[in-house]
Amino acid sequence: MSLNSNIPPGPMSDKWTDYKSKMPLVSPDNKRRLEVIVVGTGLAGASAAASLGEMGYNVKCFTFHDSPRRAHSIAAQGGINAAKNYKNDGDSVYRLFYDTVKGGDYRSREANVHRLAEVSNDIIDQCVAQGVPFAREYSGMLDNRSFGGVQVERTFYARGQTGQQLLIGAYQALSRQISLGTVTMYNRHEMLELVVVDGKARGIIARNLTTGKLERFAAHCVVLGTGGYGNVFYLSTNAMNCNVTAGWRVVKKGAMMANPCYTQIHPTCIPQSGEYQSKLTLMSESLRNDGRVWVPAKLEDAKAIQEGRKMGKDIPEEDRDYYLERRYPAFGNLVPRDVASRAAKVECDKGHGVVATGLGVYLDFESAFERYGKSKAHSMNLHNPSTEKIRELGVAEIEEKYGNLFEMYEKITGENPYKTPMKIYPAVHYTMGGLWVDYNLETNIPGLFALGECNFSDHGANRLGASALMQGLADGYFVVPYTIGPFLSKEIRTPKFSTDLPEFAQAENAVKERLQNFLDNNGNQSVESFHRRLGKIMWEHCGMARNAEGLKKAIGLIRELREEFHKDVFVPGTMDEFNPELEKAARVADFFELGELMCVDALNRKESCGGHFREESRTEEGEAKRDDENFAYAAAWEWPDVKNDPVLHKEHLKFEAIELKTRSYK
Amino acid sequence: MKLRLKVWRQKSANDKGYFEDHTLEANEHMSFLEMMDVMNEELIQQKKEPVAFEHDCREGICGACSLVINGQPHGPMQGTTTCQLHMRHFNDGDTIHIEPYRANAFPVIKDLVVDRSSFDRIIQAGGYISVSTGQAEDGNAIPINRNDSSLAFDAATCIGCAACVAACPNASAMLFTSAKVSHLALLPQGKVEASRRALKMVNQMDEEGFGRCSNITACEAECPKGISIDNIARMNREYLSASLVGEEK
Ligand SMILES: Cc1cc2nc3c(=O)[nH]c(=O)nc-3n(C[C@H](O)[C@H](O)[C@H](O)COP(=O)(O)OP(=O)(O)OC[C@H]3O[C@@H](n4cnc5c(N)ncnc54)[C@H](O)[C@@H]3O)c2cc1C
Ligand code: FES
C-alpha cells in the first residue's frame, strides 16, 4: 500500500487558500441527505460535530461519557496558541508554523502545520464569540502569556482552566445543534468496531453502556475525535477513562498507526506518592513562566531532604543548581517539554532528587513573589515597602494568575506551595503519534477521518505547550468542514446505508464474541492489576529513555503478559447491563497490542528525536541526536492481525519552507 | 487506618437499594476514590461485583464524580470534589456512609451512578450563544471590562457535577441553571439573547422535574467550585424581564 499525503501543490503559504477555493462543494440540498458519524466530543469531536451540523449534514455524535462536556479536553489548563501578534512582539503565522515544526523536532508534515498556524487566529475569534471568558487586561483586551519552546507571548488562557472554557464553548455550540435537530447525540455509547462496506467506512458498532446492548449505526462516513492513548502507561495525566479502543479498532480494519512511539512526558507533574496511585496530576507548564526549577547542588543536601532532615528552604542560594538556566541559558526554564523532562531525569538519576523516592525536583516561586510584589508596590505608589509586604503583594498576584493550580497542589499533597516550593516530576501526558491521515485528515481507509489527539499529524516528535487545544479546534471548526468535501461530494448519489447489511452483522458478532470471552474467562486477576503491570513495562522500557535491549525485552514481556491477561483476567457481571469492568477489559486488551507496537516503532527508530530518546543516539553533551538521513519519515504501521508482524510504510517528510536544523535551546 | 464503609448498592433504577457493609484498611495519602479502588479490588478478588461509581479526570474539573459522603455531596471538605478529597481528612475507626445523589430528575443507573442528562437538556434549551462557525469578528473587536469578564468566568467554572441539586432539600437546579445564564448574560456577546435564554432554560428545568428554589442556599455551601447564589438573583432578573415583555415560551 502506498501512502499519498495529498498535499496540495503551490507555495506553502498559498496551499490552504488555493485548496479552499478549488475543492469540490456539496450543495445544501445534498448535505441534508448525507449522514456523518462523529465519535468523540472533546475539542476535536464537539467542534466538528457542531460545525458539520451547522453546515447542514446529518450528524450522529457519540461519546462514552455521560455528557459531551466530560471529555478529557476539559482538563487542559494552560492555554491555547494563536498567531494574533496582539503583543506586537514579532509573532506571525510563519513564526508559529516555524516554532511548531522546530518544536516537533522536524518530524511533522509542513503543509499541515502551516494550515494549523493559519487558522489559529480564527479559533480565538470563534471562541470569543461563543462567550469563552479568556483572560483580559484592564483595557478590556485579550491577554497573552508565553509557553515553553517559544520566545513570543501568544498563548491565550482562561486562568488555569482554558480547556474547560474552550470545551464548554464547543459543547454549547454542539448543544445548539442538538436542539436544532441537525445532530443526534448518543451519550454513554462506546464505539467498539468500525464497519467497512466495499472498502469505505460506513458505520460503527457501539455498546450502549447503560443497557449493555450492542447497537448498529450507519453513515456515509465516520469521523474520529477520540483522543490520545497515554493511558497505555497506566499512570499518566490523562483522565482515567481515556483509551485507544476506537483508534485501535480501526487499525484492526486496516487503518495505519503512525509514530506510535512518540510520547510526551510532561516535566511538571506532582510526583507519585504510593503504589495504590491511580493517576498523576499535571501542574500546568505555564508555571514555568514564573517558577524556577532547581535541585540541591550537593548530594548530601539532597539526601538530607529525601530523608526529611532538611527542607528546600534550608538550602542556601549558592548551593542550589538551577540546572535548566545553567544548561540552556537562552530559554532557561522555558525549554520545551522533552528537554525539561530529560534534564529532570538526569538530575534525579544522579541522586539530586528532593522527594523520598528520589524522583522529584523543586519548582520555586520565591523570586516571582518578589518580582511581582515589587512591581505591584511600585504601581500602588508604596515607597520602601517591607520584604513581608512585597511578598504578600507578590503572593496575591501569583494567586490571581495560578490560584487554582496552587490550590490543586495543596489538596493533593497537603503542602502549601505559597510557603514551600512545589515538588514536581515528569509524567506521561500526551501522545503525538496516532492514526495516519493525509492532508484531508482522512486515514488510509476512505471515508474514515481522524481529528485532534487521535491523529498523528501536526506535532511531529514533540508537541509545544498550548498547541493541542489549537489543533483540536482547528481540525474540528476550520479544517474538516472543508476537507470532508472531496469525499462526500462523490457520495451525493449514495443512498443511506441500512444496518441490516451483512457487514454490520459481522462486525456486531465480532464484538459480541470478544466481550463474551472476557465474561466466560473466569480468571483470578482484575483488569486493573494487568493494566498497572503493562504500564510499568511501558514506563521502564518505552518511557523517557529507550534502548534496543530494553525495547526487545519489553516486547517479550508484553506478549507474555497479554497471554496471561486473556487467560486469567476476571470480569464480573454480564454483557447486558451497566458493567464498567467489562468496558475496562476491552480497553486494556487494546492497550496490550498498542503497547507492543509502540515498542516496535521505538526499536525501529534508531535516532533520538523530540520525546523519543534513544540512549544509543546522543551527542557528546548528552543531548538528543537526530538522524535526518535515515529517519526523516513518518512511520505508518499496518497491523490488522497480531498473529503476523506489523508492516512499516514510510511517508518521507520533505522540508521546503523550513531548513532542517539541529534543534538548539542553548 | 481502619474504616467501616456503608455503601449504597442498587442493581438498576427499578430495583430497591440497600446499604452494604465493608471494612477496609486505607492510608491517609490515598484519595477517596483510590480508597474505593482498593475496596473494589478486594471485591474482585472475592469474585464479587465491584461498586459502580462515576469518575474520570480525578482532578476536580470534569464533574463526573459525585457521591454523597456522610450526608454531604462531595464529602466534608469545602470547595472540594470527591476525587480531590483525601483520606487524611478522616480518622482511624471512622464509619463512612456513601450514597448516590438523590433527586427525581437523576434516576439511579447502578449503585452510585445516576443519570444527569437532564442537565444537558437544560443547556440544549438555550445555554449557548447562537453563533455559527466562521461568523465571528476579531477577538479584540469588543473590549470587555475585566471585572465583567472575571465575573462571567466565575460563573463559567461550574463543572456540571450537580452537587447543588443533591444538596438542596427541594432538589432545585437553580444554581446550575443560573450559572450558565449569568456566564453568558455578563458578556456583550451573550447579552442579546439573555432574557430569552433565561426563559427557555428555566422552563426546561421545570419540565425535568427539578424542585423550586426557596432560598435555602445549601447549593452554594456545597458547590465544589464556589459558584455564588448571586447568579440566581441575576437569572431571576433576566427571567422577569422576559416574562414581562412576554417573549416566546
Ligand atoms: C492535564 C492536561 C492538561 C493539558 N493542558 C493543555 C494545555 O494547556 N494546552 C493544550 O494545548 N493542550 C493541553 N493538553 C492536551 C489536550 O488537552 C488534549 O490533547 C486535547 O484536549 C485532546 O482533545 P481531543 O478532542 O482530541 O480528545 P479528548 O478531549 O480526549 O476527547 C475524546 C473524546 O472521544 C470520546 N471517545 C473516545 N473513545 C471513544 C469510543 N470508543 N467511543 C465513543 N467515544 C469515544 C470520549 O468520550 C471523548 O468525548 C492537556 C492535557 C492534559 C492531560
Ligand atoms: S473525577 Fe472529574 S471532577 Fe471528580
Side-chain angles (χ1 to χ4, degrees):
Chain A
M1 199 177 312
S2 73
L3 291 175
N4 183 352
S5 52
N6 286 313
I7 299 169
M12 195 56 66
S13 52
D14 298 342
K15 283 182 196 292
W16 180 233
T17 314
D18 285 356
Y19 175 100
K20 281 192 292 181
S21 45
K22 288 180 194 142
M23 56 159 278
L25 295 175
V26 181
S27 73
D29 194 35
N30 285 328
K31 281 192 188 119
R32 275 193 284 280
R33 283 200 293 255
L34 291 170
E35 297 190 293
V36 181
I37 284 174
V38 177
V39 187
T41 61
L43 288 183
S47 58
S51 303
L52 294 168
E54 287 161 10
M55 292 165 79
Y57 292 112
N58 270 297
V59 180
K60 295 177 192 147
C61 187
F62 297 82
T63 170
F64 62 68
H65 285 100
D66 70 315
S67 160
R69 67 181 293 154
R70 310 248 193 258
H72 166 61
S73 295
I74 201 94
Q77 302 172 349
I80 177 167
N81 289 330
K84 282 282 194 189
N85 193 28
Y86 284 156
K87 288 276 173 176
N88 197 25
D89 55 4
D91 203 7
S92 64
V93 166
Y94 180 82
R95 202 176 280 274
L96 174 53
F97 161 61
Y98 174 85
D99 286 344
T100 309
V101 171
K102 175 185 172 195
D105 217 356
Y106 305 89
R107 288 293 174 264
S108 46
R109 190 190 288 145
E110 273 190 336
N112 286 55
V113 180
H114 199 279
R115 173 176 66 191
L116 174 66
E118 283 176 69
V119 302
S120 67
N121 292 341
D122 297 337
I123 297 172
I124 301 304
D125 300 341
Q126 188 61 34
C127 293
V128 169
Q130 289 171 347
V132 172
F134 284 119
R136 291 188 179 259
E137 298 171 345
Y138 283 109
S139 62
M141 298 298 166
L142 292 161
D143 193 15
N144 292 120
R145 58 184 173 204
S146 62
F147 250 60
V150 300
Q151 289 167 313
V152 293
E153 292 191 21
R154 64 158 74 99
T155 304
F156 294 78
Y157 65 100
R159 287 188 211 156
Q161 283 147 265
T162 316
Q164 181 198 27
Q165 295 309 315
L166 296 175
L167 184 63
I168 286 177
Y171 161 70
Q172 288 169 189
L174 176 62
S175 297
R176 175 168 163 249
Q177 293 311 304
I178 296 170
S179 76
L180 293 171
T182 61
V183 178
T184 311
M185 187 66 224
Y186 297 88
N187 294 342
R188 294 195 198 269
H189 274 68
E190 180 162 23
M191 167 186 168
L192 292 176
E193 204 68 90
L194 176 76
V195 181
V196 179
V197 181
D198 293 333
K200 293 180 186 166
R202 299 300 195 185
I204 62 168
I205 306 295
R207 182 159 174 269
N208 177 330
L209 301 181
T210 311
T211 65
K213 297 268 181 303
L214 296 180
E215 297 173 7
R216 306 173 183 185
F217 299 92
H220 290 87
C221 67
V222 176
V223 178
L224 302 184
T226 48
Y229 52 80
N231 276 351
V232 65
F233 291 88
Y234 188 72
L235 284 182
S236 85
T237 63
N238 288 10
M240 296 289 288
N241 295 316
C242 290
N243 68 83
V244 76
T245 286
W248 197 252
R249 288 291 118 202
V250 307
V251 169
K252 306 287 271 186
K253 292 272 164 145
M256 287 187 220
M257 193 60 143
N259 305 331
C261 81
Y262 290 165
T263 315
Q264 179 161 83
I265 316 276
H266 197 294
T268 50
C269 303
I270 301 179
Q272 190 180 346
S273 71
E275 272 301 303
Y276 47 79
Q277 189 136 353
S278 58
K279 75 159 289 183
L280 296 170
T281 302
L282 174 80
M283 287 286 102
S284 167
E285 172 169 84
S286 57
L287 293 172
R288 282 199 280 144
N289 266 311
D290 289 309
R292 298 175 71 196
V293 179
W294 65 275
V295 290
K298 293 185 181 152
L299 275 176
E300 65 262 29
D301 282 343
K303 191 136 193 285
I305 292 174
Q306 289 166 14
E307 289 166 0
R309 287 182 282 116
K310 269 188 184 176
M311 305 265 282
K313 59 175 188 296
D314 301 332
I315 310 297
E317 197 58 34
E318 63 275 15
D319 288 341
R320 300 177 176 194
D321 180 12
Y322 295 91
Y323 57 87
L324 289 177
E325 297 169 28
R326 169 171 58 80
R327 287 178 61 182
Y328 307 99
F331 281 72
N333 293 297
L334 286 176
V335 291
R337 293 174 176 177
D338 54 334
V339 178
S341 291
R342 275 197 297 279
K345 181 175 190 299
V346 168
E347 296 308 323
C348 293
D349 287 352
K350 284 194 296 192
H352 294 270
V354 297
V355 297
T357 59
L359 301 177
V361 300
Y362 286 125
L363 180 63
D364 195 330
F365 291 87
E366 212 46 53
S367 40
F369 294 149
E370 191 182 323
R371 185 159 41 93
Y372 281 99
K374 276 188 180 153
S375 139
K376 184 75 189 177
H378 183 79
S379 71
M380 290 165 75
N381 279 326
L382 288 180
H383 301 294
N384 299 324
S386 65
T387 326
E388 291 80 56
K389 185 71 193 171
I390 290 177
R391 196 173 187 283
E392 182 195 315
L393 293 170
V395 164
E397 289 287 292
I398 289 285
E399 191 173 352
E400 166 75 24
K401 268 184 124 162
Y402 309 112
N404 70 319
L405 298 173
F406 276 57
E407 203 182 295
M408 188 149 86
Y409 183 87
E410 182 167 5
K411 273 186 189 145
I412 291 172
T413 62
E415 284 178 19
N416 181 344
Y418 294 106
K419 298 208 173 109
T420 52
M422 281 186 186
K423 292 168 201 147
I424 52 163
Y425 196 67
V428 172
H429 177 60
Y430 181 88
T431 49
M432 283 74 68
L435 293 170
W436 183 89
V437 289
D438 67 3
Y439 189 74
N440 294 327
L441 304 183
E442 192 173 3
T443 66
N444 56 305
I445 299 180
L448 178 67
F449 295 78
L451 324 179
E453 191 173 340
C454 79
N455 75 24
F456 88 114
S457 92
D458 294 353
H459 307 294
N462 174 54
R463 175 176 70 78
L464 290 181
S467 286
L469 301 183
M470 169 172 72
Q471 184 218 338
L473 291 181
D475 288 358
Y477 284 134
F478 297 106
V479 178
V480 89
Y482 291 97
T483 61
I484 208 168
F487 179 82
L488 285 179
S489 62
K490 285 185 268 154
E491 299 287 336
I492 52 177
R493 292 205 173 73
T494 316
K496 285 188 180 167
F497 287 87
S498 155
T499 53
D500 293 335
L501 289 172
E503 286 85 349
F504 281 88
Q506 268 163 21
E508 185 183 320
N509 285 335
V511 177
K512 203 176 273 168
E513 199 179 316
R514 229 167 53 233
L515 298 183
Q516 198 58 49
N517 278 343
F518 293 126
L519 294 164
D520 294 345
N521 209 24
N522 202 18
N524 293 304
Q525 302 176 61
S526 68
V527 178
E528 207 80 12
S529 65
F530 279 106
H531 194 177
R532 272 180 209 271
R533 284 162 72 192
L534 171 65
K536 278 206 177 120
I537 301 175
M538 295 300 296
W539 180 243
E540 201 161 313
H541 300 292
C542 199
M544 267 193 281
R546 301 145 179 203
N547 62 53
E549 197 190 334
L551 289 165
K552 282 183 199 149
K553 183 170 164 201
I555 293 171
L557 289 173
I558 293 171
R559 285 189 188 153
E560 270 167 36
L561 190 60
R562 184 167 69 215
E563 212 166 292
E564 186 182 334
F565 170 77
H566 285 289
K567 273 204 199 111
D568 200 35
V569 69
F570 172 66
V571 180
T574 65
M575 186 129 68
D576 294 328
E577 63 175 335
F578 185 81
N579 188 345
E581 286 298 310
L582 183 59
E583 294 165 27
K584 280 197 278 184
R587 294 171 190 169
V588 171
D590 291 337
F591 275 139
F592 268 110
E593 296 184 5
L594 168 79
E596 181 176 337
L597 188 65
M598 289 169 71
C599 295
V600 169
D601 184 42
L603 189 60
N604 170 68
R605 193 168 285 278
K606 296 189 182 70
E607 64 165 351
S608 293
C609 61
H612 170 65
F613 187 66
R614 276 290 293 265
E615 286 171 344
E616 301 93 330
S617 177
R618 51 177 143 186
T619 63
E620 273 162 25
E621 296 151 315
E623 303 290 339
K625 194 164 128 203
R626 240 176 38 220
D627 175 358
D628 292 333
E629 202 155 310
N630 296 303
F631 291 100
Y633 64 78
W637 296 92
E638 191 184 349
W639 200 24
D641 186 350
V642 282
K643 286 195 206 82
N644 306 322
D645 285 338
V647 179
L648 172 63
H649 302 266
K650 296 179 183 175
E651 179 193 340
H652 290 279
L653 301 168
K654 289 186 210 71
F655 291 87
E656 297 167 22
I658 294 178
E659 187 195 348
L660 268 171
K661 262 205 231 146
T662 307
R663 202 171 55 131
S664 168
Y665 294 94
K666 297 227 173 219
Chain B
M1 54 167 59
K2 214 178 176 70
L3 299 171
R4 247 187 96 204
L5 306 178
K6 291 189 161 295
V7 186
W8 186 259
R9 303 299 308 250
Q10 185 173 342
K11 199 112 189 84
S12 68
N14 304 325
D15 274 312
K16 260 184 74 166
Y18 60 95
F19 281 105
E20 189 176 81
D21 287 356
H22 295 271
T23 49
L24 195 77
E25 195 58 50
N27 88 37
E28 57 168 24
H29 297 296
M30 290 176 175
S31 73
F32 196 85
L33 294 184
E34 283 165 354
M35 182 276 290
M36 305 258 302
D37 291 341
V38 171
M39 172 185 72
N40 276 344
E41 184 65 41
E42 286 181 7
L43 285 170
I44 292 173
Q45 288 310 322
Q46 301 158 17
K47 302 229 162 179
K48 291 187 184 144
E49 274 209 44
V51 178
F53 62 89
E54 205 132 35
H55 67 101
D56 197 19
C57 73
R58 296 207 176 184
E59 44 191 65
I61 193 76
C62 74
C65 64
S66 53
L67 305 189
V68 175
I69 300 166
N70 288 340
Q72 281 183 289
H74 292 302
M77 299 299 291
Q78 257 212 330
T80 305
T81 54
T82 294
C83 60
Q84 290 184 299
L85 179 63
H86 277 70
M87 296 313 292
R88 55 178 167 271
H89 303 298
F90 294 86
N91 298 312
D92 187 33
D94 276 1
T95 298
I96 307 176
H97 281 79
I98 309 173
E99 298 168 74
Y101 286 173
R102 301 192 191 273
N104 285 338
F106 298 152
V108 169
I109 291 178
K110 188 174 182 178
D111 297 340
L112 302 169
V113 177
V114 298
D115 177 358
R116 287 171 283 187
S117 54
S118 43
F119 266 22
D120 281 336
R121 290 187 293 273
I122 292 176
I123 299 295
Q124 285 156 21
Y128 45 76
I129 292 174
S130 302
V131 56
S132 293
T133 306
Q135 289 180 342
E137 57 183 351
D138 185 82
N140 260 346
I142 309 174
I144 302 179
N145 176 298
R146 201 174 179 210
N147 201 35
D148 290 345
S149 164
S150 183
L151 278 177
F153 180 92
D154 289 342
T157 55
C158 166
I159 57 174
C161 67
C164 46
V165 176
C168 176
N170 309 334
S172 165
M174 283 293 265
L175 192 65
F176 168 77
T177 310
S178 68
K180 187 47 60 195
V181 167
S182 288
H183 158 210
L184 298 174
L186 282 159
L187 297 169
Q189 290 85 353
K191 188 84 202 132
V192 187
E193 299 170 277
S195 303
R196 184 163 170 261
R197 177 183 304 122
L199 194 64
K200 286 169 134 185
M201 290 178 73
V202 169
N203 288 344
Q204 187 66 35
M205 191 176 82
D206 293 344
E207 214 164 284
E208 295 290 345
F210 290 102
R212 296 271 151 185
C213 172
S214 49
N215 294 317
I216 299 168
T217 73
C219 52
E220 185 187 57
E222 296 294 350
C223 173
K225 296 293 139 178
I227 304 288
S228 157
I229 51 166
D230 293 351
N231 291 308
I232 298 183
R234 214 174 274 124
M235 174 164 86
N236 286 339
R237 281 200 297 278
E238 296 293 350
Y239 182 80
L240 208 63
S241 79
S243 318
L244 285 179
V245 296
E247 266 197 80
E248 68 186 285
K249 287 266 164 167

